[in-house]
Amino acid sequence: GAVVSQHPSWVICKSGTSVKIECRSLDFQATTMFWYRQFPKQSLMLMATSNEGSKATYEQGVEKDKFLINHASLTLSTLTVTSAHPEDSSFYICSARGQGSSGANVLTFGAGSRLTVL
Amino acid sequence: AQSVTQLGSHVSVSEGALVLLRCNYSSSVPPYLFWYVQYPNQGLQLLLKYTSAATLVKGINGFEAEFKKSETSFHLTKPSAHMSDAAEYFCAVSASLSGGYNKLIFGAGTRLAVHP
């Protein structure tokens, strides 16, 4: 139980285009989703926290107009990288927090999405 | 504020040897602590977590970690390394939160190499 699906796992786009990454909780309701970014050979940096039905809270230094986060339902959050540039190339990972089928609190990570901007 | 320091960005051990990956944390509130493993081009897999129950936590693949409040440490160990343990390991801290987990703050990671 407590599975998070992230899609796409790989995406290549041209500079200037926008890319949407989806994060879905498959078997539980995710009241909160967290979005992380990971540069090669580095750690995960929290970008933003989103609660279902409200605006995301961005970490310091993260451009909210650049990285649009939507959490419109209890099972889906999306991250849109707008007007992507090569420096946005990175590994983006989501995690979802909620209650599993047993009622226990869960926190599960998606498998990540690798974005390459040409 | 919370932070995690992982001592040693690279650790190399022989197959069958003890694995010790060090993690120290800083937290102004009672912490939850986690160890994750990441294989190349993959997401994170939870090895184990401490959530204020037993201080010695056993995880998957033979790993365990001990929460030591006096030392603010949560070191990861495995008695006998296997080749398949070669990966990147991340320690993470979260503020304990009633009703669920809070955001995780990750350490810089430790790359474990296992040689024959």
Side-chain angles (χ1 to χ4, degrees):
Chain A
V3 177
V4 171
S5 172
Q6 200 170 331
H7 177 81
S9 53
W10 295 81
V11 57
I12 300 173
C13 70
K14 292 182 178 179
S15 185
T17 61
S18 295
V19 173
K20 180 182 287 187
I21 299 169
E22 294 186 346
C23 181
R24 292 181 185 272
S25 57
L26 299 185
D27 51 1
F28 69 102
Q29 293 187 325
T31 51
T32 304
M33 289 195 178
F34 305 95
W35 286 95
Y36 293 84
R37 182 174 183 178
Q38 184 181 31
F39 289 105
K41 301 185 187 299
Q42 294 188 30
S43 187
L44 284 78
M45 301 300 296
L46 180 67
M47 299 174 66
T49 302
S50 72
N51 293 301
E52 183 266 336
S54 59
K55 289 184 178 180
T57 301
Y58 290 81
E59 296 297 303
Q60 191 172 9
V62 178
E63 301 175 61
K64 53 184 171 185
D65 294 332
K66 174 76 169 177
F67 300 100
L68 300 179
I69 292 172
N70 183 280
H71 191 170
S73 79
L74 284 171
T75 59
L76 174 65
S77 176
T78 59
L79 166 67
T80 301
V81 183
T82 63
S83 187
H85 287 90
E87 58 265 30
D88 299 324
S89 299
S90 190
F91 194 51
Y92 294 89
I93 305 177
C94 71
S95 68
R97 176 180 80 188
Q99 282 198 322
S101 55
S102 64
N105 295 320
V106 297
L107 176 68
T108 304
F109 280 81
S113 299
R114 184 163 302 284
L115 169 64
T116 301
V117 185
L118 303 177
Chain B
Q2 298 177 301
S3 65
V4 171
T5 301
Q6 289 184 242
L7 299 175
S9 58
H10 289 80
V11 171
S12 181
V13 300
S14 299
E15 190 173 20
L18 171 72
V19 175
L20 170 61
L21 304 182
R22 300 178 187 274
C23 172
N24 286 90
Y25 70 91
S26 173
S27 178
S28 56
V29 298
Y32 287 166
L33 293 158
F34 306 78
W35 274 101
Y36 286 89
V37 61
Q38 185 180 36
Y39 295 97
N41 297 312
Q42 295 188 26
L44 299 179
Q45 181 180 10
L46 178 66
L47 285 175
L48 49 80
K49 61 185 177 187
Y50 165 77
T51 57
S52 76
T55 56
L56 181 61
V57 182
K58 294 187 182 299
I60 62 172
N61 301 339
F63 285 94
E64 64 180 39
E66 186 172 7
F67 172 69
K68 292 187 176 180
K69 184 178 179 180
S70 61
E71 299 177 7
T72 60
S73 69
F74 190 57
H75 302 330
L76 181 71
T77 61
K78 181 174 180 177
S80 177
H82 192 272
M83 297 296 288
S84 61
D85 294 327
E88 186 85 20
Y89 290 80
F90 292 99
C91 181
V93 64
S94 164
S96 57
L97 180 70
S98 61
Y101 297 100
N102 209 338
K103 60 186 179 183
L104 266 60
I105 305 301
F106 286 85
T110 297
R111 183 167 297 276
L112 175 67
V114 182
H115 51 86

